């Protein structure tokens, strides 16, 4: 075993009402890839924020390369040799790659020199990237490279990566892993946070598992199965979503050459989308972020209107119907962005329950809101979907990402939709909650609803989809039966090679 | 070192405490300002806040309180709906003027016919309509051409002032007024007068309308789906679209309501306390109402209280000008300070202030 680089001893951090971390100890060796595993709300984010100097621990010590380490700011952490790639990128779309990199550096060199440095690093580590391109034009994978290169230019001894693969295609994941392994052989340690257990088993040398703010185990992930790891992290046995056999019914939702121009200058325009979803079917729509997922969701939810005949539900043209008209017919949607789109951050869960639920649940009577009924519904969702919150009166923004996700998905599912469209239903949700959300989606389909799942998580799509299609630059591939599709075929569909296939037909 | 830490949930306590703290801070800073002007700060503050309610001449001032608070509250209630939805009507002053002109014009058109049951209600409708139309201009320009309603509504104030001057000098000028600018006095025309309902209280129909508006706004915001949609649109525009809110319709609705209420305030003023259309009819209620709306947390009950407080600074300010020789600008600076401190202390609702560096236990 090599020397210890980062040693954490008895860290504790409490927020009002919650102990985020309690007596957490572990260590990361030199040139070790160490995984940090845990459910949402287990305290992983708080922990790495303490390591990165964003949050100060209440108790406990850290040492880095043998010296006491108590960072007061990310600035100090970076000077010590720690860099971090966040789950959500902090990039400016209207600036180019080099400018974005310069903004995140302590002492940026002159621009032309920086551009050369970027090219050099990107070639050395196999991360192709042109420093002159606008970030707004980059794919999610390329944006992540910007963040990684920004870190690498600081020559860190420890690189922290928070859920790095959640936005990547399988091919991009491979490239990322090559890079990380290369860094490892050069002596850089990596602290790797992910929910994808297979990845951790493939990449990491050691793992620390957190549950409810405490360390519940340290192991070598290569010696455990993904299932064992998941159970360590959840503390109970994990249920694999069970696909119930059932007959498919009539076509519930049909798109016929749906074209919608994006209102956002960096958005994607939907071009000639056609598909049919039958009752009881789960249609999985894969694709790398930024290929029209958001636009497709709002076109289906009714936030953006289209040609009336382009969207049909039970044969009726509804392209010109707004969200509430569609809800009344039984077409519900759950957008990807939880805070600000699916839910209003500063409003209570009760108000957020009324937000999308009032049409179907009779919460509004002649314009007046029955808050008692709304509260009852919010509490039912909280209970059914195990949303962890002190109460339904709390603001949406006070919930952790995963808990809020459970709430907004549950809010739609419990309205008994006939057609449900969800975008990234388990984004940032822990393994057990993700499993229960998927199970709920499958149950909904088994009861005769048509379900459209837009997701970037291919494992998820393979697990629950009846049929699979891919979005690429605003175009949709021909849907194919999910059973029997290989990862390579899917990769090609995502990459847009399907266009040639269609041309042959 | 002072640090700001974001609160997970906005503080309820601070949300209500900031207006009070802001008022206190304004008194202190205002006192310093008055001291620099060579006045005794305690005496000035007492003249502004104490004398009008409990001083020797309070019987005179008390009536003035409702007269001033009525239009402020009525306008601020309308503005607050738009402000909550992120729709910034800054031109209530212009809508107030147009309401007065429309309402007065209808009343004067019937002169000297006596039929109060017909004329006064018609004037009310015309007043609201005048303000509504004036607010629809920025509304339609925004929904059609995506112009900025802040600029358009504000600039229309100056257009309204020109129309007011024209009305006072020619269109509505009193033919028996010996050539002086200004319309007939509506107070002396029984069918059109907005008289005091309880003598000595300053209670007229505009104050009644303000109280009704407070109650309606309260119910709208707390119980009605439209109120939820208004709040949603302001807090999370994308979530509002998701909830089926049509943003364009909401812009027109909020501007329409605030314009209509400002127009009503103008009508009640011209038919009551002011009595006539004159060149200097408007005294800035439309702008001060913006401060009232924010001081009242955009909450109807808060606006009611803030309107009364603001009216007090108006009356007290006038008293201070008359008895202590304080310049008018000092009073305006004083009112401005109130908004400044309010916005500054507002940070505490969403953030927690921490002093010094966090110490490890």
């Amino acid at each position: 075993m090599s020397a210890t680089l980062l040693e954490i001893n008895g860290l504790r951090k409490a927020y009002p009402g919650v102990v985020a971390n309690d007596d957490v100890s572990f260590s990361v060796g030199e040139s070790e890839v160490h995984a940090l595993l845990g459910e949402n709300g287990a305290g992983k984010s708080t922990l790495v924020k303490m390591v990165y100097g964003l949050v100060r621990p209440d108790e406990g010590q850290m040492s880095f390369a043998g010296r006491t380490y108590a960072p007061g700011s990310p600035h100090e952490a970076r000077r010590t040799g720690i860099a971090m790639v966040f789950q959500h990128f902090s990039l400016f779309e209207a600036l180019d790659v080099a400018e974005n990199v310069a903004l995140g550096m302590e002492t940026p060199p002159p621009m032309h020199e920086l551009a050369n440095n970027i090219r050099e690093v990107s070639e050395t580590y196999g991360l192709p990237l042109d420093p002159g391109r606008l970030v707004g034009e980059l794919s999610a994978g390329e944006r992540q490279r910007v963040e990684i290169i920004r870190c690498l230019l600081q020559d860190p001894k420890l690189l922290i990566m928070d859920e790095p693969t959640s936005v990547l295609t399988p091919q991009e994941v491979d490239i990322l892993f090559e890079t990380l392994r290369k860094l490892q052989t050069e002596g850089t340690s990596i602290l790797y946070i992910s929910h994808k257990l297979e990845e951790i088993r493939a990449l990491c040398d050691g793992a620390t598992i957190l549950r409810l703010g405490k360390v519940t185990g340290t192991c070598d992930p290569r010696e455990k199965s993904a299932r064992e790891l998941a159970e360590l992290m959840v503390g109970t046995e994990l249920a694999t979503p069970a696909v119930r056999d059932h007959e498919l019914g009539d076509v519930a939702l049909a798109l016929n050459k749906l074209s919608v121009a994006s209102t956002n200058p960096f958005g994607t325009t939907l071009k000639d989308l056609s598909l049919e979803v039958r009752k009881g079917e789960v249609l999985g729509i894969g694709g790398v972020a930024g290929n029209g997922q958001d636009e497709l969701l709002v076109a289906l939810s009714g936030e953006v209107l289209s040609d009336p005949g382009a969207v049909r539900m039970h044969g009726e043209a509804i392209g010109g119907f707004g969200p509430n008209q569609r809800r009344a017919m039984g077409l519900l949607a759950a957008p990807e962005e939880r805070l600000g789109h699916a839910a209003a951050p500063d409003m209570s869960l009760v108000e957020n329950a009324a937000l999308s639920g009032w049409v179907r649940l009779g919460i509004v009577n002649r314009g007046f809101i029955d808050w008692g009924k709304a509260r009852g519904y919010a509490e039912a969702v909280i209970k059914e979907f195990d949303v962890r919150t002190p109460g339904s009166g709390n603001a949406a923004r006070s919930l952790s990402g995963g808990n809020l996700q459970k709430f907004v998905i549950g809010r739609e599912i419990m309205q008994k939709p006939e057609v449900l469209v969800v975008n990234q239903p388990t984004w940032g949700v822990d393994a057990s909650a993700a499993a229960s959300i998927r199970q709920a989606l499958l149950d909904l389909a088994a009861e005769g609803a048509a379900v459209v799942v837009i997701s970037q998580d291919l494992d998820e799509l393979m697990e629950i989809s009846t049929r699979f299609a891919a979005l690429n630059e605003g175009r949709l591939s021909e849907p194919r039966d999910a059973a029997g599709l290989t990862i390579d075929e899917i990769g090609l569909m995502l990459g847009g090679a399907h266009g040639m296939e269609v041309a042959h037909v | 070192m002072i640090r700001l830490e974001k609160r997970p949930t906005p503080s309820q306590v601070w949300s209500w405490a900031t207006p009070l703290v802001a008022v206190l801070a304004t008194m202190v800073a205002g006192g310093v300002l008055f001291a620099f002007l060579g006045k005794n700060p305690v005496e000035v503050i007492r003249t502004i806040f104490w004398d009008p309610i409990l001083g020797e001449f309070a019987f005179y001032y008390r009536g003035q309180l409702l007269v001033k608070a009525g239009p402020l509250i009525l306008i601020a209630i309308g503005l607050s709906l738009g402000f909550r939805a992120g729709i910034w009507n800054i031109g209530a002053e212009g809508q107030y003027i147009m309401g007065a002109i429309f309402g007065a014009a209808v009343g004067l058109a019937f002169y000297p016919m006596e039929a109060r049951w017909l004329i006064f209600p018609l004037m009310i409708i015309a007043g609201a309509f005048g303000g509504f139309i004036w607010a629809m201009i920025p509304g339609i320009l925004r929904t059609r051409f995506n112009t900025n309603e802040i600029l358009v509504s504000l600039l229309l104030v100056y257009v309204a002032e020109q129309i007011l001057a024209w009305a006072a000098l020619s269109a509505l000028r009193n033919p028996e007024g010996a050539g002086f600018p200004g319309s007939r006095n509506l107070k002396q025309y029984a069918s059109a007068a907005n008289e005091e309902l309880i003598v000595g209280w300053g209670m007229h129909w505009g104050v009644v309308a303000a109280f009704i508006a407070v109650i309606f706004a309260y119910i709208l915001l707390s119980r009605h789906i439209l109120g939820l949609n208004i709040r949603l649109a302001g807090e999370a525009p994308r979530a509002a679209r998701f909830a089926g809110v049509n943003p364009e319709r909401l812009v027109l609705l909020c501007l329409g309501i605030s314009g209509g209420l400002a127009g009503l305030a103008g009508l009640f003023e011209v038919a009551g306390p002011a009595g006539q259309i004159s060149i200097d009819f408007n005294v800035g209620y439309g702008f001060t109402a913006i401060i009232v709306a924010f001081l009242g947390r955009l909450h109807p009950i808060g606006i009611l209280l803030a309107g009364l407080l603001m009216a007090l600074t108006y009356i007290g300010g006038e008293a201070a000008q008359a008895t202590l020789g304080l310049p008018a600008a000092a009073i305006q600076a004083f009112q401005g300070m109130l908004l400044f401190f309010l916005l500054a202390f507002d940070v505490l609702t969403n953030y927690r202030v921490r002093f010094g560096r966090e110490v490890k236990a």
Side-chain angles (χ1 to χ4, degrees):
Chain A
M1 194 72 197
S2 59
T4 301
L5 180 69
L6 175 72
E7 171 111 42
I8 288 176
N9 214 333
L11 277 197
R12 176 186 163 90
K13 177 74 199 176
Y15 290 108
V18 201
V19 179
N21 282 143
D22 192 8
D23 193 21
V24 173
S25 307
F26 70 95
S27 61
V28 181
E30 267 172 29
S31 67
E32 180 190 347
V33 181
H34 193 91
L36 202 52
L37 264 174
E39 284 199 282
N40 263 87
K44 299 174 311 243
S45 298
T46 309
L47 185 57
V48 292
K49 277 181 191 162
M50 288 193 282
V51 175
Y52 195 54
L54 281 165
V55 172
R56 294 191 136 244
D58 298 336
E59 279 171 39
Q61 298 85 38
M62 290 184 271
S63 70
F64 191 82
R67 256 182 270 169
T68 308
Y69 170 65
S73 65
H75 177 77
E76 224 177 303
R78 285 195 291 265
R79 259 188 326 199
T80 317
I82 296 180
M84 179 158 174
V85 176
F86 289 89
Q87 183 178 4
H88 298 284
F89 308 141
S90 45
L91 298 172
F92 295 93
E93 294 195 329
L95 298 181
D96 71 28
V97 170
E99 286 165 333
N100 265 293
V101 169
L103 278 173
M105 290 179 77
E106 296 294 327
T107 46
M111 265 317 182
H112 61 276
E113 210 174 293
L114 182 61
N116 286 335
N117 290 348
I118 291 173
R119 267 192 211 99
E120 212 172 280
V121 172
S122 73
E123 274 163 32
T124 318
Y125 293 101
L127 295 167
L129 196 62
D130 175 0
R133 277 183 71 196
L134 275 189
V135 166
E137 296 166 0
L138 301 182
S139 73
E142 287 171 315
R143 287 179 198 211
Q144 186 181 56
R145 282 177 210 160
V146 179
E147 295 264 7
I148 295 174
I149 284 174
R150 177 148 80 186
C151 289
L152 295 185
L153 284 170
Q154 322 262 348
D155 204 12
K157 296 193 202 77
L158 175 69
L159 181 63
I160 304 172
M161 304 207 75
D162 193 358
E163 309 244 347
T165 59
S166 47
V167 293
L168 305 183
T169 61
Q171 283 82 356
E172 283 174 322
V173 170
D174 287 343
I175 296 175
L176 175 69
F177 280 16
E178 290 284 317
T179 307
L180 295 182
R181 287 200 185 96
K182 184 151 188 168
L183 279 169
Q184 184 186 12
T185 55
E186 288 178 2
T188 310
S189 308
I190 294 161
L191 187 56
Y192 189 93
I193 302 169
S194 177
H195 287 132
K196 296 184 185 167
L197 303 163
E198 285 299 343
E199 276 175 10
I200 286 176
R201 294 187 56 237
L203 188 72
C204 301
D205 312 311
T208 298
I209 295 140
L210 285 177
R211 183 161 76 233
L212 300 174
K214 292 185 182 166
V215 174
T216 53
T218 305
C219 65
D220 184 340
R222 285 164 302 196
E223 289 167 2
K224 303 261 182 194
S225 72
R227 198 181 174 83
E228 281 174 298
L229 286 175
E231 283 169 9
L232 262 174
M233 147 175 137
V234 179
T236 53
E237 270 192 35
L238 206 61
T240 316
V243 182
R244 284 197 248 156
D245 264 343
H246 56 272
E247 292 292 306
L248 298 189
D250 301 334
V251 173
L253 178 76
L255 298 185
N256 184 22
K257 293 193 179 302
L258 171 72
S259 295
V260 180
S262 176
T263 45
N264 174 351
F266 294 116
T268 308
T269 294
L270 298 180
K271 298 162 203 125
D272 287 339
L273 257 66
S274 297
L275 61 82
E276 283 184 350
V277 199
R278 302 159 82 89
K279 288 180 184 168
E281 182 180 41
V282 179
L283 174 69
I285 297 182
V288 178
N291 273 295
Q293 285 90 339
D294 241 9
E295 288 79 1
L296 177 58
L297 184 113
V298 293
L300 290 176
S301 72
E303 289 163 75
V304 168
L305 303 183
S306 60
D307 231 21
V311 184
R312 283 177 188 276
M313 188 168 161
H314 302 315
E316 191 178 340
I318 61 163
F321 287 10
N324 287 334
Q325 255 177 306
R326 295 189 193 193
R327 283 190 183 113
M329 294 181 68
L331 170 55
L332 303 187
E336 171 186 5
E337 185 66 46
R338 301 179 274 255
L339 277 180
H341 194 183
D346 287 327
M347 286 193 176
S348 71
L349 294 179
V350 175
E351 287 167 310
N352 273 302
L355 185 152
S356 82
W358 66 269
V359 177
R360 282 179 80 73
L361 300 168
I363 286 173
V364 171
N365 184 11
R366 278 185 289 170
F368 286 91
I369 302 168
D370 183 342
W371 285 118
K373 226 176 210 178
R375 177 173 304 275
Y377 183 61
E379 274 158 15
V381 174
I382 289 170
K383 187 158 175 277
E384 183 72 26
F385 281 81
D386 187 27
V387 179
R388 302 208 183 128
T389 170
S392 58
N394 278 53
R397 82 169 189 220
S398 70
L399 269 66
S400 74
N403 273 312
L404 187 57
Q405 183 68 22
K406 289 191 265 182
F407 182 81
V408 297
I409 294 279
R411 179 182 71 182
E412 306 304 329
I413 289 179
M414 284 178 68
Q415 289 181 47
K416 304 256 171 264
E418 287 175 44
V419 179
L420 178 67
V421 185
V422 292
N423 188 6
Q424 297 276 63
T426 61
W427 166 253
V429 176
D430 59 76
S432 67
S436 67
I437 287 177
R438 287 173 198 149
Q439 185 64 59
L441 291 171
L442 287 172
D443 289 347
L444 193 66
E447 284 155 23
V451 180
V452 178
V453 180
I454 305 169
S455 176
Q456 287 155 41
D457 183 341
L458 292 176
D459 299 332
E460 166 170 283
L461 290 177
M462 288 305 101
E463 196 173 299
I464 61 175
S465 302
T466 321
R467 283 186 308 148
F468 175 86
L471 257 182
N472 188 302
E473 291 179 0
R475 292 179 195 279
L476 192 73
S477 72
E478 191 72 25
R480 295 174 59 175
D481 281 335
L485 272 184
T486 67
I487 277 285
D488 277 343
E489 283 174 308
I490 292 169
L492 289 175
M493 284 169 86
L494 295 179
H498 61 87
M500 290 152 72
E501 241 177 65
V502 172
H504 289 306
V505 175
Chain B
M1 196 175 73
I2 302 173
R3 289 181 303 119
L4 290 177
E5 213 174 84
K6 188 150 184 158
R7 296 174 191 270
T9 309
S11 159
Q12 288 294 315
V13 175
W14 273 111
S15 154
W16 285 100
T18 40
L20 302 177
V21 176
V23 169
L24 287 176
T26 308
M27 285 188 185
V28 172
V32 171
L33 173 81
F34 298 140
F36 273 117
L37 289 170
K39 310 289 174 195
N40 176 357
V42 178
E43 198 185 347
V44 180
I45 298 290
R46 202 197 62 216
T47 309
I48 296 177
F49 287 101
W50 182 264
D51 287 355
I53 308 176
L54 299 162
E56 199 183 340
F57 298 105
F59 63 90
Y60 166 72
Y61 292 122
R62 261 180 239 156
Q64 285 295 304
L65 194 64
L66 286 183
V67 167
K68 300 261 194 257
L72 286 176
I73 294 169
L74 196 52
I75 300 171
I77 287 286
L79 292 181
S80 70
L81 296 180
F83 290 173
R84 284 211 174 205
I87 297 157
W88 305 101
N89 178 7
I90 305 298
E93 184 80 357
Q95 293 138 24
Y96 170 83
I97 293 172
M98 293 313 282
I101 295 175
F102 270 61
V106 166
L108 292 169
F110 283 99
Y111 184 85
M113 190 175 107
E114 290 294 348
R116 186 170 173 80
W117 59 271
L118 172 71
I119 297 172
F120 195 57
L122 273 183
M123 286 168 67
I124 293 175
I125 293 169
F129 181 72
F132 170 80
I133 283 292
W134 212 241
M136 275 301 102
I137 299 173
I140 290 170
L141 287 177
R142 169 162 163 180
T143 51
R144 283 285 158 80
F145 303 108
N146 207 17
T147 58
N148 184 318
E149 79 278 13
I150 299 177
L151 287 176
V152 177
S153 66
L154 177 63
L155 292 177
L156 281 171
V157 172
Y158 304 106
V159 178
E161 282 179 344
Q162 296 305 314
I163 295 177
L164 175 69
W166 167 73
L169 291 171
S170 67
L172 299 181
R173 194 176 64 182
N174 182 359
E176 294 155 22
F180 284 104
S183 71
R184 281 180 201 279
N185 195 323
L186 292 165
K187 269 195 289 196
Q188 289 156 10
Y189 173 27
S191 293
N194 170 26
E195 71 247 317
E196 214 176 5
L197 298 171
I198 309 171
V199 177
W201 280 56
M203 182 78 153
H204 59 70
W205 283 107
V207 181
V208 175
F211 289 150
I212 294 174
V214 168
I215 294 165
F216 263 88
Y218 183 80
I219 294 172
L220 179 76
L221 287 172
S222 61
R223 300 250 167 256
H224 200 274
I225 186 70
L226 180 60
L228 181 68
N229 286 345
I230 284 174
R231 290 189 288 138
L232 255 182
E235 287 181 23
R238 285 194 83 194
R241 270 178 187 269
F242 176 63
V245 179
N246 179 336
E248 298 189 345
R249 209 178 295 160
L250 201 67
V251 167
L252 294 180
L253 190 84
C254 286
L255 283 173
I257 292 177
S258 58
L261 291 182
L264 270 184
L267 170 274
F268 288 122
E269 190 71 13
V270 77
Q276 59 168 176
I277 291 288
S278 58
I279 296 177
D280 55 358
F281 164 73
N282 60 311
V283 292
Y285 285 140
F287 292 119
T288 311
I290 298 170
I291 305 180
V292 170
F294 279 106
L295 191 63
R297 314 272 69 191
L298 304 181
H299 186 285
I301 308 295
I303 287 170
L304 179 69
L305 299 174
L308 290 168
L309 178 75
M310 215 60 194
L312 191 61
T313 65
Y314 259 112
I315 299 160
E318 277 171 22
Q321 279 175 52
T323 59
L324 303 172
L326 206 67
I331 295 300
Q332 283 168 10
F334 189 73
Q335 291 175 343
M337 258 182 232
L338 196 53
L339 183 63
F340 171 81
F341 280 117
L342 181 78
L343 296 177
F345 284 114
D346 238 8
V347 168
L348 297 173
T349 309
N350 280 308
Y351 292 87
R352 200 177 268 134
V353 178
R354 299 260 179 196
F355 295 99
R357 303 181 68 122
E358 242 177 293
V359 190
K360 270 196 280 183

